[in-house]
Amino acid sequence: MAKALFAGIVSAILFRFIFALGLASALDGLGVVPGLLGIVLTFCGVRQLTAQEDHCDVTQTLLVRGFRFLLGDRLGEFYDEEGEGLLAVSKGRVCVTLLGVVIFLL
């Protein structure tokens, strides 16, 4: 958990730096981007409000299935809870854990 939090903080700092260098003004010139972002955020918020409390299997989400398609059996569908590693050895092969997927998506 600490690794994912650290990666999130570092990526947030880097994005703020990039926006300060001029990406914000470039995106502001594209008048459609703020409107589309607002629609997406509103959709996500409404979806969270109407979500049921069903415990879904994280390995069945679209993103994990996409990583499973790309990595095949190199995707370990588990968290390395002892070492908190991004990579782990499973069945004699090095696999990307779900924490690796989380950090990649940050």
Coordinates of all heavy atoms in Angstrom, one line a residue:
M1 N 0.8 -1.2 0.0 CA 0.0 0.0 0.0 C 0.9 1.3 0.0 O 0.5 2.2 -0.6 CB -0.9 0.0 1.2 CG -1.7 1.2 1.4 SD -3.4 1.0 0.9 CE -4.1 2.2 2.0
A2 N 2.0 1.2 0.7 CA 2.8 2.4 0.8 C 3.5 2.7 -0.6 O 3.7 3.8 -0.9 CB 3.9 2.1 1.8
K3 N 3.8 1.6 -1.3 CA 4.4 1.8 -2.7 C 3.4 2.5 -3.6 O 3.7 3.4 -4.4 CB 4.9 0.5 -3.2 CG 6.1 -0.1 -2.5 CD 6.5 -1.3 -3.2 CE 7.7 -1.9 -2.4 NZ 8.2 -3.2 -3.0
A4 N 2.1 2.0 -3.6 CA 1.1 2.6 -4.4 C 0.9 4.1 -4.0 O 0.7 5.0 -4.9 CB -0.2 1.8 -4.3
L5 N 0.8 4.4 -2.7 CA 0.7 5.7 -2.3 C 1.8 6.6 -2.7 O 1.6 7.7 -3.2 CB 0.5 5.8 -0.8 CG 0.2 7.1 -0.1 CD1 -1.1 7.7 -0.6 CD2 0.2 7.0 1.4
F6 N 3.0 6.1 -2.6 CA 4.2 6.9 -3.0 C 4.2 7.1 -4.5 O 4.5 8.3 -4.9 CB 5.5 6.1 -2.6 CG 6.8 6.8 -3.1 CD1 7.2 7.9 -2.4 CD2 7.5 6.3 -4.2 CE1 8.4 8.5 -2.8 CE2 8.6 6.9 -4.6 CZ 9.1 8.0 -3.9
A7 N 3.8 6.1 -5.3 CA 3.8 6.3 -6.7 C 2.7 7.3 -7.1 O 2.9 8.1 -8.0 CB 3.5 5.0 -7.4
G8 N 1.6 7.3 -6.4 CA 0.5 8.3 -6.7 C 0.9 9.7 -6.3 O 0.6 10.6 -7.1
I9 N 1.7 9.9 -5.3 CA 2.1 11.2 -4.9 C 3.2 11.7 -5.9 O 3.1 12.9 -6.3 CB 2.7 11.2 -3.4 CG1 1.5 11.0 -2.5 CG2 3.4 12.5 -3.1 CD1 2.0 10.8 -1.0
V10 N 4.1 10.9 -6.3 CA 5.1 11.3 -7.2 C 4.5 11.6 -8.6 O 4.9 12.6 -9.2 CB 6.2 10.2 -7.4 CG1 7.1 10.4 -8.5 CG2 7.0 10.0 -6.1
S11 N 3.6 10.8 -9.0 CA 2.9 11.1 -10.3 C 2.1 12.4 -10.2 O 2.1 13.2 -11.2 CB 2.1 9.9 -10.8 OG 1.0 9.7 -9.9
A12 N 1.5 12.7 -9.1 CA 0.7 13.9 -9.0 C 1.7 15.1 -9.0 O 1.3 16.1 -9.7 CB -0.1 13.9 -7.7
I13 N 2.8 15.0 -8.4 CA 3.8 16.1 -8.4 C 4.3 16.3 -9.9 O 4.4 17.5 -10.3 CB 4.9 15.8 -7.5 CG1 4.4 15.9 -6.0 CG2 6.1 16.8 -7.7 CD1 5.4 15.4 -5.0
L14 N 4.6 15.2 -10.6 CA 5.1 15.4 -11.9 C 4.0 16.0 -12.8 O 4.4 16.8 -13.7 CB 5.5 14.0 -12.5 CG 6.8 13.4 -11.9 CD1 7.0 12.0 -12.4 CD2 7.9 14.3 -12.2
F15 N 2.7 15.6 -12.7 CA 1.7 16.2 -13.5 C 1.5 17.7 -13.2 O 1.3 18.5 -14.1 CB 0.4 15.4 -13.4 CG 0.3 14.3 -14.3 CD1 0.3 13.0 -13.8 CD2 0.1 14.4 -15.7 CE1 0.2 11.9 -14.7 CE2 0.0 13.4 -16.5 CZ 0.1 12.1 -16.0
R16 N 1.6 18.0 -12.0 CA 1.5 19.5 -11.6 C 2.7 20.2 -12.3 O 2.5 21.4 -12.7 CB 1.5 19.7 -10.1 CG 0.2 19.3 -9.5 CD 0.2 19.5 -8.1 NE -1.1 19.0 -7.5 CZ -1.5 19.2 -6.3 NH1 -0.7 19.8 -5.4 NH2 -2.6 18.7 -5.9
F17 N 3.9 19.7 -12.2 CA 5.0 20.3 -12.9 C 4.8 20.5 -14.4 O 5.1 21.5 -14.9 CB 6.3 19.5 -12.6 CG 7.5 20.1 -13.2 CD1 8.1 21.2 -12.6 CD2 8.2 19.4 -14.2 CE1 9.2 21.8 -13.2 CE2 9.3 19.9 -14.8 CZ 9.8 21.1 -14.2
I18 N 4.3 19.4 -15.0 CA 4.1 19.5 -16.5 C 3.0 20.5 -16.8 O 3.1 21.3 -17.8 CB 3.7 18.1 -17.0 CG1 4.9 17.1 -16.9 CG2 3.2 18.1 -18.4 CD1 4.6 15.7 -17.2
F19 N 1.9 20.6 -16.0 CA 0.9 21.5 -16.2 C 1.4 22.9 -16.0 O 1.0 23.9 -16.7 CB -0.3 21.3 -15.3 CG -1.3 20.4 -15.9 CD1 -1.2 19.0 -15.7 CD2 -2.4 20.8 -16.6 CE1 -2.1 18.1 -16.2 CE2 -3.3 20.0 -17.2 CZ -3.2 18.6 -17.0
A20 N 2.3 23.1 -15.1 CA 2.9 24.5 -14.8 C 3.8 24.9 -16.0 O 4.0 26.1 -16.3 CB 3.7 24.5 -13.5
L21 N 4.4 23.9 -16.7 CA 5.3 24.2 -17.8 C 4.5 24.6 -19.1 O 5.1 25.1 -20.0 CB 6.2 23.0 -18.1 CG 7.3 22.7 -17.1 CD1 8.1 21.5 -17.5 CD2 8.2 23.9 -17.0
G22 N 3.2 24.5 -19.1 CA 2.5 24.9 -20.2 C 1.4 24.0 -20.8 O 0.7 24.3 -21.7
L23 N 1.3 22.8 -20.2 CA 0.3 21.9 -20.7 C -1.1 22.4 -20.4 O -2.0 22.2 -21.2 CB 0.5 20.5 -20.1 CG -0.5 19.4 -20.6 CD1 -0.3 19.2 -22.1 CD2 -0.3 18.1 -19.9
A24 N -1.2 23.1 -19.3 CA -2.6 23.6 -19.0 C -3.1 24.6 -20.0 O -4.2 24.6 -20.4 CB -2.5 24.3 -17.6
S25 N -2.2 25.5 -20.5 CA -2.6 26.5 -21.5 C -2.9 25.8 -22.8 O -3.8 26.2 -23.5 CB -1.6 27.6 -21.6 OG -0.4 27.1 -22.0
A26 N -2.1 24.8 -23.1 CA -2.4 24.0 -24.4 C -3.7 23.3 -24.3 O -4.4 23.3 -25.3 CB -1.2 23.0 -24.6
L27 N -4.0 22.7 -23.2 CA -5.3 22.0 -23.1 C -6.5 23.0 -23.0 O -7.6 22.7 -23.5 CB -5.4 21.2 -21.8 CG -4.6 19.9 -21.9 CD1 -4.6 19.1 -20.6 CD2 -5.0 19.0 -23.0
D28 N -6.2 24.2 -22.5 CA -7.3 25.2 -22.4 C -7.7 25.7 -23.8 O -8.8 26.1 -24.1 CB -6.8 26.4 -21.6 CG -8.0 27.3 -21.3 OD1 -9.1 26.8 -21.0 OD2 -7.8 28.6 -21.2
G29 N -6.7 25.6 -24.8 CA -7.0 26.0 -26.1 C -7.9 25.0 -26.8 O -8.6 25.4 -27.8
L30 N -7.9 23.8 -26.4 CA -8.9 22.8 -26.9 C -10.2 22.9 -26.1 O -10.4 22.3 -25.1 CB -8.3 21.4 -26.7 CG -6.9 21.1 -27.4 CD1 -6.4 19.8 -26.9 CD2 -7.0 21.2 -28.9
G31 N -11.1 23.7 -26.6 CA -12.3 24.0 -25.8 C -13.2 22.9 -25.5 O -14.0 22.9 -24.6
V32 N -13.0 21.7 -26.1 CA -13.9 20.6 -25.9 C -13.4 19.8 -24.7 O -14.2 19.1 -24.0 CB -13.9 19.7 -27.2 CG1 -14.7 18.4 -27.0 CG2 -14.4 20.4 -28.4
V33 N -12.2 19.8 -24.4 CA -11.6 19.0 -23.3 C -12.3 19.2 -22.0 O -12.7 18.2 -21.3 CB -10.1 19.1 -23.2 CG1 -9.5 18.4 -22.0 CG2 -9.4 18.7 -24.5
P34 N -12.4 20.4 -21.5 CA -13.0 20.6 -20.2 C -14.5 20.1 -20.1 O -14.9 19.5 -19.1 CB -13.0 22.1 -19.9 CG -11.9 22.6 -20.8 CD -11.9 21.7 -22.0
G35 N -15.2 20.3 -21.2 CA -16.6 19.8 -21.3 C -16.7 18.3 -21.2 O -17.5 17.7 -20.5
L36 N -15.8 17.6 -22.0 CA -15.8 16.2 -22.0 C -15.3 15.6 -20.6 O -15.9 14.6 -20.1 CB -14.8 15.6 -23.0 CG -15.3 15.8 -24.5 CD1 -14.2 15.3 -25.4 CD2 -16.6 15.1 -24.7
L37 N -14.4 16.3 -20.0 CA -13.9 15.8 -18.7 C -15.0 16.0 -17.7 O -15.2 15.2 -16.8 CB -12.7 16.6 -18.3 CG -12.0 16.2 -17.0 CD1 -11.6 14.8 -17.0 CD2 -10.8 17.1 -16.6
G38 N -15.8 17.1 -17.7 CA -16.9 17.3 -16.8 C -18.0 16.2 -17.0 O -18.5 15.7 -16.0
I39 N -18.3 15.9 -18.2 CA -19.2 14.8 -18.5 C -18.8 13.5 -17.9 O -19.5 12.8 -17.2 CB -19.6 14.7 -20.0 CG1 -20.3 15.9 -20.4 CG2 -20.3 13.4 -20.3 CD1 -20.4 16.0 -21.9
V40 N -17.5 13.1 -18.1 CA -17.0 11.9 -17.6 C -17.0 11.8 -16.1 O -17.4 10.9 -15.5 CB -15.5 11.6 -18.2 CG1 -14.9 10.5 -17.4 CG2 -15.6 11.4 -19.6
L41 N -16.6 12.9 -15.5 CA -16.6 13.0 -14.0 C -18.0 12.9 -13.4 O -18.2 12.3 -12.4 CB -15.9 14.2 -13.5 CG -14.3 14.2 -13.7 CD1 -13.7 15.6 -13.3 CD2 -13.7 13.1 -12.9
T42 N -18.9 13.6 -14.1 CA -20.3 13.5 -13.6 C -20.9 12.1 -13.7 O -21.5 11.6 -12.8 CB -21.2 14.5 -14.4 OG1 -20.7 15.8 -14.3 CG2 -22.6 14.5 -13.9
F43 N -20.6 11.4 -14.8 CA -21.0 10.1 -15.0 C -20.4 9.2 -14.0 O -21.1 8.3 -13.4 CB -20.6 9.6 -16.4 CG -20.8 8.1 -16.6 CD1 -22.1 7.6 -16.8 CD2 -19.7 7.2 -16.6 CE1 -22.3 6.3 -17.0 CE2 -19.9 5.9 -16.8 CZ -21.2 5.4 -17.0
C44 N -19.1 9.3 -13.7 CA -18.5 8.5 -12.6 C -19.1 8.7 -11.3 O -19.3 7.8 -10.5 CB -17.0 8.8 -12.6 SG -16.1 8.1 -14.1
G45 N -19.4 10.0 -11.0 CA -20.0 10.3 -9.7 C -21.4 9.7 -9.5 O -21.7 9.1 -8.5
V46 N -22.2 9.8 -10.5 CA -23.6 9.2 -10.5 C -23.5 7.7 -10.4 O -24.2 7.1 -9.7 CB -24.4 9.7 -11.7 CG1 -25.7 8.9 -11.8 CG2 -24.6 11.2 -11.7
R47 N -22.5 7.1 -11.1 CA -22.4 5.7 -11.1 C -22.0 5.2 -9.7 O -22.4 4.2 -9.2 CB -21.4 5.3 -12.1 CG -21.3 3.8 -12.3 CD -20.5 3.4 -13.5 NE -20.4 2.0 -13.6 CZ -19.4 1.4 -14.2 NH1 -18.5 2.0 -14.9 NH2 -19.4 0.1 -14.2
Q48 N -21.1 6.0 -9.0 CA -20.7 5.6 -7.6 C -21.9 5.8 -6.7 O -22.0 5.0 -5.7 CB -19.5 6.5 -7.2 CG -18.2 6.1 -7.8 CD -17.8 4.7 -7.4 OE1 -17.9 4.3 -6.3 NE2 -17.2 4.0 -8.4
L49 N -22.7 6.8 -6.9 CA -23.9 7.0 -6.0 C -24.9 5.9 -6.1 O -25.5 5.5 -5.1 CB -24.5 8.3 -6.2 CG -23.8 9.5 -5.7 CD1 -24.5 10.8 -6.2 CD2 -23.7 9.5 -4.2
T50 N -25.0 5.3 -7.3 CA -26.1 4.3 -7.6 C -25.5 2.9 -7.5 O -26.2 2.0 -7.7 CB -26.7 4.5 -8.9 OG1 -25.7 4.4 -9.9 CG2 -27.4 5.9 -9.0
A51 N -24.2 2.8 -7.2 CA -23.6 1.4 -7.1 C -24.1 0.6 -6.0 O -24.4 1.1 -4.9 CB -22.1 1.6 -7.0
Q52 N -24.3 -0.6 -6.2 CA -24.7 -1.6 -5.2 C -23.5 -2.0 -4.4 O -22.4 -1.9 -4.8 CB -25.4 -2.8 -5.8 CG -26.6 -2.5 -6.7 CD -27.7 -1.9 -5.9 OE1 -28.0 -2.3 -4.7 NE2 -28.4 -1.0 -6.4
E53 N -23.7 -2.5 -3.2 CA -22.7 -2.9 -2.3 C -22.2 -4.3 -2.5 O -21.7 -5.0 -1.6 CB -23.1 -2.8 -0.8 CG -23.2 -1.3 -0.4 CD -21.9 -0.6 -0.4 OE1 -20.9 -1.2 0.0 OE2 -21.9 0.6 -0.8
D54 N -22.4 -4.8 -3.8 CA -21.9 -6.2 -4.1 C -20.4 -6.2 -4.1 O -19.7 -5.3 -4.6 CB -22.4 -6.6 -5.5 CG -23.9 -6.7 -5.5 OD1 -24.5 -6.9 -4.5 OD2 -24.5 -6.6 -6.6
H55 N -19.8 -7.2 -3.5 CA -18.4 -7.4 -3.5 C -18.0 -8.0 -4.8 O -18.1 -9.2 -5.0 CB -17.9 -8.2 -2.3 CG -18.2 -7.6 -1.0 ND1 -17.5 -6.5 -0.6 CD2 -19.2 -7.8 -0.1 CE1 -18.0 -6.1 0.6 NE2 -19.0 -6.9 0.9
C56 N -17.5 -7.2 -5.7 CA -17.1 -7.8 -7.0 C -15.6 -8.3 -7.0 O -14.8 -7.8 -6.2 CB -17.2 -6.7 -8.1 SG -16.2 -5.3 -7.9
D57 N -15.3 -9.1 -7.9 CA -14.0 -9.7 -8.0 C -13.1 -8.7 -8.8 O -13.5 -8.5 -10.0 CB -14.0 -11.1 -8.6 CG -12.7 -11.8 -8.6 OD1 -11.8 -11.3 -7.9 OD2 -12.6 -12.8 -9.3
V58 N -12.1 -8.2 -8.2 CA -11.3 -7.2 -8.9 C -10.6 -7.8 -10.2 O -10.3 -7.1 -11.1 CB -10.2 -6.6 -8.0 CG1 -9.1 -7.5 -7.6 CG2 -9.6 -5.3 -8.6
T59 N -10.4 -9.1 -10.2 CA -9.8 -9.7 -11.3 C -10.7 -9.8 -12.5 O -10.3 -10.1 -13.6 CB -9.3 -11.1 -11.0 OG1 -10.4 -11.9 -10.6 CG2 -8.2 -11.1 -9.9
Q60 N -12.0 -9.5 -12.4 CA -12.9 -9.5 -13.5 C -13.2 -8.1 -14.1 O -14.1 -8.0 -14.9 CB -14.2 -10.2 -13.0 CG -14.1 -11.6 -12.6 CD -13.4 -12.5 -13.7 OE1 -13.7 -12.4 -14.8 NE2 -12.4 -13.3 -13.3
T61 N -12.5 -7.1 -13.6 CA -12.7 -5.8 -14.1 C -12.1 -5.7 -15.5 O -11.2 -6.5 -15.9 CB -12.1 -4.7 -13.2 OG1 -10.7 -4.9 -13.1 CG2 -12.7 -4.7 -11.8
L62 N -12.5 -4.7 -16.2 CA -12.0 -4.5 -17.6 C -10.5 -4.3 -17.7 O -9.9 -4.8 -18.6 CB -12.8 -3.3 -18.3 CG -12.4 -3.0 -19.7 CD1 -12.8 -4.1 -20.6 CD2 -13.1 -1.7 -20.1
L63 N -10.0 -3.5 -16.8 CA -8.6 -3.2 -16.8 C -7.7 -4.4 -16.5 O -6.7 -4.7 -17.2 CB -8.2 -2.1 -15.9 CG -8.8 -0.7 -16.2 CD1 -8.6 0.3 -15.1 CD2 -8.2 -0.2 -17.5
V64 N -8.1 -5.2 -15.6 CA -7.3 -6.4 -15.2 C -7.5 -7.4 -16.4 O -6.5 -8.1 -16.7 CB -7.8 -7.0 -13.9 CG1 -7.1 -8.3 -13.6 CG2 -7.5 -6.0 -12.8
R65 N -8.6 -7.5 -17.0 CA -8.8 -8.4 -18.1 C -7.9 -8.0 -19.3 O -7.3 -8.8 -20.0 CB -10.2 -8.5 -18.6 CG -11.1 -9.3 -17.6 CD -12.5 -9.5 -18.1 NE -13.1 -8.2 -18.2 CZ -14.3 -7.9 -18.7 NH1 -15.0 -8.9 -19.2 NH2 -14.8 -6.7 -18.7
G66 N -7.8 -6.7 -19.5 CA -6.9 -6.1 -20.5 C -5.4 -6.5 -20.2 O -4.7 -6.9 -21.1
F67 N -5.0 -6.4 -19.0 CA -3.7 -6.7 -18.6 C -3.5 -8.2 -18.8 O -2.4 -8.7 -19.1 CB -3.3 -6.3 -17.2 CG -2.8 -4.9 -17.1 CD1 -3.6 -3.8 -17.0 CD2 -1.4 -4.7 -17.1 CE1 -3.1 -2.5 -16.9 CE2 -0.9 -3.4 -17.1 CZ -1.7 -2.4 -17.0
R68 N -4.5 -9.0 -18.4 CA -4.4 -10.5 -18.6 C -4.2 -10.8 -20.1 O -3.5 -11.7 -20.4 CB -5.7 -11.2 -18.1 CG -5.5 -12.7 -18.0 CD -6.8 -13.4 -17.5 NE -7.3 -12.8 -16.3 CZ -8.5 -12.4 -16.1 NH1 -9.4 -12.4 -17.0 NH2 -8.9 -11.9 -14.9
F69 N -4.9 -10.1 -21.0 CA -4.8 -10.3 -22.4 C -3.3 -10.0 -22.9 O -2.8 -10.7 -23.7 CB -5.8 -9.4 -23.2 CG -5.6 -9.5 -24.7 CD1 -6.1 -10.6 -25.4 CD2 -5.1 -8.5 -25.4 CE1 -6.0 -10.7 -26.7 CE2 -4.9 -8.5 -26.7 CZ -5.4 -9.6 -27.4
L70 N -2.8 -8.9 -22.3 CA -1.4 -8.4 -22.8 C -0.3 -9.3 -22.2 O 0.6 -9.6 -22.8 CB -1.2 -7.0 -22.3 CG -2.0 -5.9 -23.0 CD1 -1.8 -4.6 -22.4 CD2 -1.7 -5.9 -24.5
L71 N -0.5 -9.7 -20.9 CA 0.6 -10.4 -20.2 C 0.4 -11.9 -20.2 O 1.4 -12.6 -19.9 CB 0.7 -9.9 -18.8 CG 1.1 -8.4 -18.6 CD1 1.1 -8.0 -17.2 CD2 2.5 -8.1 -19.2
G72 N -0.8 -12.4 -20.4 CA -1.0 -13.8 -20.4 C -0.8 -14.4 -19.0 O -1.3 -13.8 -18.0
D73 N -0.1 -15.5 -18.9 CA 0.1 -16.1 -17.6 C 1.2 -15.4 -16.8 O 1.6 -15.8 -15.7 CB 0.5 -17.6 -17.7 CG 1.7 -17.8 -18.6 OD1 2.2 -16.9 -19.2 OD2 2.2 -18.9 -18.6
R74 N 1.8 -14.3 -17.3 CA 2.7 -13.5 -16.5 C 2.0 -12.5 -15.6 O 2.7 -11.8 -14.8 CB 3.6 -12.7 -17.5 CG 4.5 -13.5 -18.3 CD 5.7 -13.9 -17.5 NE 6.7 -14.5 -18.4 CZ 7.8 -15.0 -17.9 NH1 8.1 -14.9 -16.7 NH2 8.6 -15.6 -18.7
L75 N 0.7 -12.5 -15.6 CA -0.1 -11.6 -14.7 C -0.5 -12.5 -13.5 O -1.3 -13.4 -13.7 CB -1.3 -11.0 -15.3 CG -2.2 -10.2 -14.4 CD1 -1.5 -9.0 -13.8 CD2 -3.5 -9.8 -15.1
G76 N 0.1 -12.3 -12.3 CA -0.3 -13.0 -11.1 C -1.5 -12.3 -10.5 O -1.4 -11.1 -10.2
E77 N -2.7 -12.9 -10.5 CA -3.9 -12.3 -10.0 C -4.0 -12.3 -8.5 O -4.9 -12.9 -8.0 CB -5.1 -12.9 -10.7 CG -5.0 -12.7 -12.2 CD -6.2 -13.3 -12.9 OE1 -7.2 -13.8 -12.3 OE2 -6.2 -13.4 -14.2
F78 N -3.0 -11.8 -7.9 CA -2.9 -11.7 -6.4 C -2.0 -10.5 -6.0 O -1.3 -10.0 -6.8 CB -2.3 -13.0 -5.9 CG -0.9 -13.3 -6.4 CD1 0.2 -12.8 -5.8 CD2 -0.8 -14.1 -7.6 CE1 1.5 -13.1 -6.3 CE2 0.5 -14.4 -8.1 CZ 1.6 -13.9 -7.5
Y79 N -2.2 -10.1 -4.8 CA -1.3 -9.1 -4.2 C -0.2 -9.8 -3.4 O -0.5 -10.8 -2.7 CB -2.1 -8.2 -3.2 CG -3.0 -7.2 -3.9 CD1 -4.4 -7.5 -4.0 CD2 -2.5 -6.1 -4.5 CE1 -5.2 -6.6 -4.6 CE2 -3.3 -5.2 -5.1 CZ -4.7 -5.5 -5.2 OH -5.5 -4.6 -5.8
D80 N 1.0 -9.4 -3.5 CA 2.1 -9.9 -2.7 C 2.0 -9.2 -1.3 O 2.6 -8.2 -1.1 CB 3.4 -9.6 -3.4 CG 4.6 -10.2 -2.6 OD1 4.4 -11.1 -1.8 OD2 5.7 -9.8 -2.9
E81 N 1.3 -9.8 -0.4 CA 1.0 -9.1 0.9 C 2.2 -9.1 1.8 O 2.3 -8.3 2.7 CB -0.2 -9.8 1.5 CG -1.5 -9.6 0.7 CD -2.7 -10.2 1.4 OE1 -2.6 -10.7 2.5 OE2 -3.7 -10.3 0.7
E82 N 3.1 -10.1 1.6 CA 4.3 -10.1 2.5 C 5.3 -9.1 2.1 O 5.8 -8.4 3.0 CB 4.8 -11.6 2.5 CG 3.9 -12.6 3.1 CD 4.4 -14.0 2.9 OE1 5.5 -14.2 2.4 OE2 3.7 -14.9 3.2
G83 N 5.7 -9.1 0.9 CA 6.8 -8.3 0.4 C 6.3 -7.0 -0.2 O 7.1 -6.1 -0.6
E84 N 5.0 -6.9 -0.5 CA 4.4 -5.7 -1.2 C 5.2 -5.5 -2.5 O 5.5 -4.3 -2.8 CB 4.5 -4.5 -0.3 CG 3.6 -4.5 0.9 CD 3.6 -3.2 1.7 OE1 4.3 -2.3 1.3 OE2 2.8 -3.2 2.7
G85 N 5.5 -6.5 -3.2 CA 6.2 -6.4 -4.4 C 5.4 -6.2 -5.7 O 4.2 -6.6 -5.7
L86 N 5.9 -5.5 -6.6 CA 5.3 -5.3 -7.9 C 5.4 -6.6 -8.8 O 4.6 -6.9 -9.6 CB 5.9 -4.1 -8.7 CG 5.9 -2.8 -7.9 CD1 6.6 -1.8 -8.7 CD2 4.5 -2.4 -7.6
L87 N 6.5 -7.3 -8.6 CA 6.8 -8.5 -9.3 C 6.9 -9.6 -8.2 O 7.4 -9.4 -7.1 CB 8.1 -8.4 -10.1 CG 8.1 -7.3 -11.1 CD1 9.5 -7.2 -11.7 CD2 7.1 -7.6 -12.2
A88 N 6.5 -10.8 -8.6 CA 6.6 -12.0 -7.7 C 6.8 -13.2 -8.5 O 6.5 -13.3 -9.7 CB 5.3 -12.1 -6.8
V89 N 7.4 -14.2 -7.9 CA 7.7 -15.5 -8.5 C 6.5 -16.4 -8.2 O 6.2 -16.7 -7.0 CB 9.0 -16.1 -8.1 CG1 9.2 -17.5 -8.7 CG2 10.2 -15.2 -8.4
S90 N 5.9 -16.9 -9.3 CA 4.7 -17.8 -9.1 C 4.9 -19.0 -10.1 O 5.1 -18.7 -11.3 CB 3.4 -17.1 -9.4 OG 2.3 -18.0 -9.3
K91 N 5.0 -20.2 -9.6 CA 5.2 -21.4 -10.4 C 6.5 -21.3 -11.2 O 6.5 -21.7 -12.4 CB 4.0 -21.6 -11.4 CG 2.6 -21.7 -10.7 CD 1.5 -21.8 -11.6 CE 0.2 -21.8 -10.9 NZ -1.0 -21.7 -11.8
G92 N 7.5 -20.7 -10.6 CA 8.8 -20.7 -11.2 C 8.9 -19.6 -12.2 O 10.0 -19.5 -12.9
R93 N 8.0 -18.7 -12.4 CA 8.0 -17.6 -13.4 C 7.8 -16.3 -12.7 O 7.1 -16.2 -11.7 CB 7.0 -17.8 -14.4 CG 7.1 -19.1 -15.2 CD 6.1 -19.2 -16.3 NE 6.5 -18.3 -17.4 CZ 5.8 -18.2 -18.5 NH1 4.7 -18.9 -18.7 NH2 6.2 -17.4 -19.4
V94 N 8.4 -15.2 -13.2 CA 8.2 -13.9 -12.6 C 6.9 -13.4 -13.2 O 6.7 -13.4 -14.4 CB 9.4 -13.0 -13.0 CG1 9.2 -11.6 -12.5 CG2 10.7 -13.5 -12.5
C95 N 6.1 -12.9 -12.3 CA 4.7 -12.4 -12.6 C 4.6 -11.0 -12.1 O 5.1 -10.6 -11.1 CB 3.7 -13.3 -12.1 SG 3.7 -15.0 -12.6
V96 N 3.7 -10.2 -12.8 CA 3.3 -8.9 -12.3 C 2.2 -9.1 -11.4 O 1.2 -9.8 -11.7 CB 2.9 -8.0 -13.5 CG1 2.4 -6.6 -13.0 CG2 4.1 -7.8 -14.4
T97 N 2.2 -8.5 -10.2 CA 1.1 -8.7 -9.2 C 0.1 -7.6 -9.5 O 0.3 -6.7 -10.3 CB 1.7 -8.5 -7.8 OG1 2.1 -7.2 -7.6 CG2 2.7 -9.5 -7.5
L98 N -1.0 -7.7 -8.8 CA -2.1 -6.7 -8.9 C -1.6 -5.3 -8.5 O -2.1 -4.3 -9.0 CB -3.3 -7.1 -8.2 CG -4.1 -8.3 -8.8 CD1 -5.3 -8.7 -7.9 CD2 -4.5 -8.0 -10.2
L99 N -0.7 -5.2 -7.5 CA -0.1 -4.0 -7.1 C 0.7 -3.3 -8.3 O 0.6 -2.1 -8.5 CB 0.8 -4.1 -5.9 CG 1.5 -2.9 -5.4 CD1 0.4 -1.9 -4.9 CD2 2.4 -3.2 -4.3
G100 N 1.3 -4.1 -9.1 CA 2.0 -3.6 -10.3 C 1.0 -3.0 -11.3 O 1.3 -2.0 -11.9
V101 N -0.1 -3.6 -11.4 CA -1.2 -3.1 -12.3 C -1.7 -1.8 -11.7 O -1.9 -0.8 -12.5 CB -2.4 -4.1 -12.4 CG1 -3.5 -3.5 -13.2 CG2 -1.9 -5.4 -13.1
V102 N -1.9 -1.7 -10.4 CA -2.4 -0.5 -9.8 C -1.4 0.7 -10.1 O -1.8 1.8 -10.5 CB -2.6 -0.7 -8.3 CG1 -2.8 0.6 -7.6 CG2 -3.8 -1.6 -8.1
I103 N -0.1 0.4 -9.8 CA 0.9 1.5 -10.0 C 1.0 1.9 -11.4 O 1.2 3.0 -11.8 CB 2.2 1.0 -9.4 CG1 2.0 1.0 -7.8 CG2 3.4 1.9 -9.8 CD1 3.2 0.7 -7.1
F104 N 0.9 0.9 -12.4 CA 1.0 1.2 -13.8 C -0.1 2.1 -14.2 O 0.0 3.1 -15.0 CB 1.0 0.0 -14.6 CG 1.1 0.3 -16.1 CD1 2.3 0.5 -16.7 CD2 0.0 0.2 -16.9 CE1 2.4 0.8 -18.0 CE2 0.1 0.5 -18.2 CZ 1.3 0.8 -18.8
L105 N -1.3 1.9 -13.6 CA -2.5 2.7 -14.0 C -2.5 4.1 -13.3 O -3.3 4.9 -13.7 CB -3.8 1.9 -13.6 CG -4.0 0.7 -14.5 CD1 -5.2 -0.1 -14.0 CD2 -4.1 1.0 -15.9
L106 N -1.7 4.3 -12.3 CA -1.6 5.6 -11.7 C -1.0 6.6 -12.7 O -1.3 7.7 -12.8 CB -0.8 5.6 -10.4 CG -1.4 5.0 -9.2 CD1 -0.5 5.0 -8.1 CD2 -2.7 5.7 -8.8

